[in-house]
Structure formats: structure tokens, C-alpha cells
Amino acid sequence: MPFPPVLLLLLLGACCPTLAQSHQSGYQIALFNRITSDAKQASDAATPALLDALQQQDFQTDLLACCPSIANYSAQQLLQLLHDEISVTEVVTGFPGTQLGNVWWDFSLTEAAASNFSATTLENQWEVAVKHSTDFNFSWAGIQDDVETQIYGLKAFSHRGTPASIEEAHERGVYNIVNTARVDMGSVLYGDVSAVLSREYIGRMTLLSAVDTGGWTYMCNSTDPKSPYQVDCDGYQFALGTLGHLDHLILANTRFWQGQSSLASVFARLVRPWGVNRILGKALPTYWEAVPAGELVFPDAVHFVIGSFVALFGTNTGRLLQQWCTRWGWVLVWSLGLNLNQDPNFWSTRSFWSESFGANNRVWDPTVMTSANTTQLNATRMADWHQLWDKANQTRSSTPNVTNVTWASLWELEMPWQGLAMAPIFAGACAESEACVGVTPENDCICYT
């Protein structure tokens, strides 16, 4: 089947992320190699059970209801389709647009802008904390340290929960989600900005867990476990995976979450047209966790960036986001996201447990790309874009608490978005999937060149 034509984004100074020089320590390389070997064995051993699950009557019934065009596929064909879609699924890290409170912990746009965007890595939490001399005298520091050393096998600090130097902090990684739900905001529970990583860059360094390790710690490994969720703590024994070996993670995830996620629901979001299968709030925390054991060096490690329309569009922080993406030559995408009257997080999804979301609203930002190619929008269309930016700014200034209804109505002003809508790439959509960031409604690929 011929591939659709490619819509080229000719970004000045940007190029397709290539196989990056390995920004890993000797310890990280050895760790990844060992886990790769173990993950291959675990994945291969889990494949028969996964194939069996794909033949079960309940799955087949759900498959026929959601995806009749593939209902007659064999289990092997279905598994190959699942592998193909997962191979192009976004790996995303979320972070706040502005620094939260007085404790430096998460990477943020504040952090990036402080150096006039000259910082060259997407820092993990320990690196941010060490750089700002954060006091590690809080309980979570020790707990997270235990998770990273005992579950992921990352190199221990000289003292539990307290890296003695930036070199020790370099040995840890940035937390990501594998966006199998194809949520438009990417890492929707973890901030106003999502950086979608280059799978080509992280492919040889990323470790996968079937569940969020921090959530598991609170729900299953605490002297006082508290959780709004019903989980099976024995459903996953932390056999880690990699982006190339992950069959054992698929059913482990559904066992752990006991109905909040299912093989059929994962399949439906991955193989059906984007947004056709709405996602329930209860499914949002059920992602796989991904931790690259290595540094994420700009620009190659980041594929593109997603900003929250509700939180940042029309703001000074939104301008900073545009400048950051222009500095490194990344496509910037705006997303309506869940558009709730709250900032969602891992635990708060219980408050919108049964609500469903299309989560399929993305447009690319033409102002970030005009440094190289502004001819894609004429002057009238660019004026429409800037008018919407100003309207969003004025709405924030004139209304103390803007409702989600107002944000939805602003998003639905179609004129500024015409020609800018995009969806995540899907298997077979683009000849060079590593170079592409999305597809248009006409299935043209949006790619770096």
C-alpha cells in the first residue's frame, strides 16, 4: 500500500532525530543490557498466554463490537497489530509550566527559561533538586530512591534519598508514560507541558514497568496503604520490560488494575480512528511507566512538545513555551486536553471516574514554524491565530475563574485551526515514522525533513 504524501515542516535548525550518541554511564549501559536479556525471556514466556487471551470469547465479543474490520483476524495477526501500534505509541513526560512552590523538584519551563533556554538536557527530579540545593529531608525522597534502586536497579546514591553530587543524580532517569490511550495532552496527569520523546533516541535505554511505581508504592508497599482504587497488588511482580520486549507487561497491567483497564479497551484506543473510542477517567492512571536510563540531551531526545490550551495558550508562559520550542527546533502542539475545572493528577481521577473524554484535540502552532516556513498560512489565517491568542489572554484577564465551557467554546472557533489539526501517528501511516509527529485529518504525515 503506498504511503500518504508527507506534509513537510521545514524547521530551521531542526532535523530528524538520529540515533543519538549514547548518553549513558557504564552502569546504565550494563543495567539496560541485563534488563533487555531478562525482558526478552519474560516477554517470550508471556506470549502464549497473551495469544490465548486474544482468543477468549469475552475479548472476541468486545473486538467485534469495536473493530469489526479485524474481528476475523487470527490471534497471531491481532498480536502483530498490537505490536505494530505500540511501536509507534508516544513515550511522554509531563511537567509544569511554572515552578510550583518553593521546593525545586520537577523540571519546568521556569527551569528552562532561567538559563535563557541554553540548558541542554531535560533534567530528572534529582538533578533539578541538586542544582537548586533542595533539602532532601522529606520522606518521599527516600521512598523514591528505594523505588529506583530496588525496582529499576538504578545506581544507589552514597546516602539513601540524598545524592551527594550532580554526577550521582545523573544516574537516575526522567519518568514517562507510554501513551497507549492516545490522550491528546500526552502526559495528562503531570503538568501543563508534555515532551514527547524520540523513540529512536530512547529505544536503547528505556526501562518499562507495567504500572506506575509511585502509585504501586502507596497502594501496595506502605505500612498504611491508602487508595481510591481497587488493585491486585500480586498482579504484577515487576519483571521489567523494554520498548522491544513487553508482552509480559500487557496482561500484568490489566490484572493489577482489575477492570479499570482491559485488553479490549487498550486495543480499541490503539487500532480505531483517534477519539472514536472515548476514554474513561478511571483508565487514565493505568498507563505503563517508562524510565530512560540515560540523559535526555537536546534537541535529539525530544521529538515534539505539547502545551495545554487551557493553562497556557495566550499567556506569558505560553510565549516561553513557543520560544523554547523555537530554540531547539521542535514542533509545538496545542491540546484542549481533558478540559476539567481542576488540574488532574494520578489520584484525583477518582473524582471523574465515570466521565468519558474524546481526548482527541491537537493543533500545531504555526508561529513556532514561521522562522522557516510561514507560507503554509496566509496573512489572514495568521491574523486569525493571533486574534485567538489575544482573546484567550483577555478572557483570563477579565474573568477570575474561566470555566471549562468557555475554554471549549474558544477551542471550537474553527477558523484559526483550519489546516492545523493533527492526530498521533499510527502504524503504517508514514514511511519514516521516527521523523513524523502526527497525521492530518486527510492522513498526510507531518514530518521533519
Side-chain angles (χ1 to χ4, degrees), residues 276-290:
V276 170
N277 271 82
R278 297 174 67 84
I279 186 169
L280 292 173
K282 68 178 183 179
L284 292 172
T286 66
Y287 52 81
W288 303 338
E289 185 176 86

Side-chain angles (χ1 to χ4, degrees), residues 17-82:
T18 58
L19 280 173
Q21 172 188 0
S22 180
H23 295 281
Q24 295 175 278
S25 69
Y27 184 96
Q28 290 169 329
I29 292 170
L31 173 66
F32 180 80
N33 289 339
R34 176 177 60 79
I35 289 179
T36 297
S37 177
D38 293 344
K40 183 180 187 310
Q41 292 183 44
S43 180
D44 290 348
T47 301
L50 185 53
L51 287 168
D52 183 64
L54 293 171
Q55 299 177 83
Q56 294 300 309
Q57 185 60 51
D58 57 347
F59 174 79
Q60 289 289 320
T61 299
D62 290 340
L63 186 67
L64 181 61
C66 88
C67 317
S69 64
I70 60 172
N72 291 325
Y73 277 25
S74 69
Q76 192 63 56
Q77 287 175 309
L78 290 171
L79 181 57
Q80 185 60 55
L81 180 58
L82 187 60

